[in-house]
Amino acid sequence: MAMATSRLVVVQQKQPSSCLLPPSSLSDFNGIRLKHPIQYKRKEWQTRGALQVKASAAKKILIMGGTRFIGIFLSRLLVKEGHQVTLFTRGKAPISQPLPGESEQDYLDFSSKISHLKGDRKDYDFVKTSLAAEGFDVVYDINGREAEEVEPILDALPKLEQYIYCSSAGVYLKSDLLPHFESDAVDPKSRHKGKLETESLLVSKGVNWTSLRPVYIYGPLNYNPVEEWFFHRLKAGRPIPIPNSGNQITQLGHVKDLATAFINVLGNDKASQQVFNISGDKYVTFDGLARACAKAGGFPEPELVHYNPKEFDFGKKKAFPFRDQHFFASIEKAKSELGWKPEYDLVEGLTDSYNLDFGRGTFRKAADFSTDDMILEKCLVPQ
């Protein structure tokens, strides 16, 4: 198949209610505030075999993906730093679109500098041919899910200086001991096992790689129903159904902080062949997250309804957007070794997301309250 490259064309209240919960569903687990380590300045990449990366030098960078969420913010930062950025996508979505709140001049400046390589990453012959012809110094793999999708990229770019991979904190083996650290056991049977296998492939190939493991990501343009799930219910003035006690502790990281972390590992010798958890500084309970979303959007205190998920058959529908468990990770390693720290606290980040996205009337998925209605009918109507 012939290579297809082109310059970008701009296209364009109340106390919580609850059902009767089994004693085992209640939790008294306490989260721990993260400490503030000494920050380290970013250094130039030191020679490791034939690999040399210099963070200050302009690079020819390929982003696998880049038009949906994380890559949108990452690509802008890379262009601002003077790098030559190409997005590899199937071309089904606009290669670029103005960000909410972005000036026309900033958008035009960005869109004039971004390039596009159209293709399917599962077409391995095309990937090898087109990437080998272009040549890239660095690859950011934002949408990779399986190791077999990565091998053709490595084969096509034998002189690649750095492969930066977006993995997931979902790879960790479920444990009673939290937070998760990068050295913790992983689950080879997790739904993210393809990301684990990709990390193993990168190790076996001997390339200079870095893997970031976000927990839950939120922020403007989020295509996963994270904060949007809460905003829909708050806007409709509905009670918010939360499984079990609502004391389950989790963690969210703002997409712009994740994009900054991706920038910080570029050419950073401390990032060579390393994994880093990336998320927010604080942990939050499910109930606390609902209240934080209300505060961010300027809504009244929400009514929270707790329920036992085992009493319901939701079929294939997902009644709540988070794992019904404690799930959070330490970001100490990224803070101490990369000189990175999250800039957004939770309410501030949710406010940014609301004001630049949902609050403007834009969202990815329409509201679906069908599972809510099942829960509320059982929990709020006298039996």
Side-chain angles (χ1 to χ4, degrees), residues 22-157:
S24 61
S25 70
L26 302 177
S27 169
D28 60 356
F29 191 96
N30 293 317
I32 301 174
R33 178 71 167 89
L34 295 177
K35 298 177 182 178
H36 296 282
I38 297 173
Q39 301 297 317
Y40 292 86
K41 293 184 178 179
R42 199 165 155 193
K43 296 182 179 179
E44 292 183 354
W45 172 255
Q46 304 298 320
T47 302
R48 290 176 182 268
L51 302 175
Q52 285 192 340
V53 177
K54 205 172 184 179
S56 60
K59 296 295 176 183
K60 188 172 184 180
I61 294 176
L62 175 69
I63 300 180
M64 300 300 292
T67 59
R68 296 187 71 189
F69 186 34
I70 303 167
I72 291 176
F73 295 96
L74 170 61
S75 59
R76 274 168 168 76
L77 291 179
L78 288 169
V79 167
K80 284 181 179 179
E81 289 209 343
H83 300 292
Q84 182 182 340
V85 179
T86 298
L87 307 184
F88 186 107
T89 80
R90 290 175 294 177
K92 293 186 175 182
I95 303 310
S96 174
Q97 56 184 318
L99 289 174
E102 183 177 37
S103 72
E104 181 179 0
Q105 185 56 51
D106 284 347
Y107 171 66
L108 291 176
D109 183 60
F110 167 76
S111 61
S112 68
K113 295 176 181 176
I114 201 83
S115 298
H116 181 221
L117 184 57
K118 182 179 178 180
D120 186 341
R121 70 177 296 163
K122 292 184 180 294
D123 184 346
Y124 301 142
D125 289 337
F126 173 72
V127 168
K128 289 181 182 179
T129 302
S130 59
L131 269 57
E134 284 287 326
F136 292 98
D137 302 317
V138 177
V139 171
Y140 279 95
D141 194 346
I142 303 300
N143 62 9
R145 295 182 178 275
E146 306 295 335
E148 65 180 15
E149 300 171 352
V150 175
E151 194 157 10
I153 300 174
L154 300 179
D155 290 345
L157 301 170

Side-chain angles (χ1 to χ4, degrees), residues 186-229:
V186 292
D187 182 2
K189 297 181 180 179
S190 82
R191 69 185 185 91
H192 297 289
K193 65 179 182 178
K195 291 187 177 292
L196 276 179
E197 292 167 353
T198 298
E199 291 177 352
S200 296
L201 173 69
L202 292 170
V203 173
S204 69
K205 290 290 186 177
V207 299
N208 177 36
W209 60 271
T210 304
S211 181
L212 301 190
R213 293 177 178 172
V215 187
Y216 289 111
I217 310 167
Y218 74 105
L221 307 180
N222 191 2
Y223 57 84
N224 284 319
V226 178
E227 68 270 42
E228 181 179 289
W229 187 92

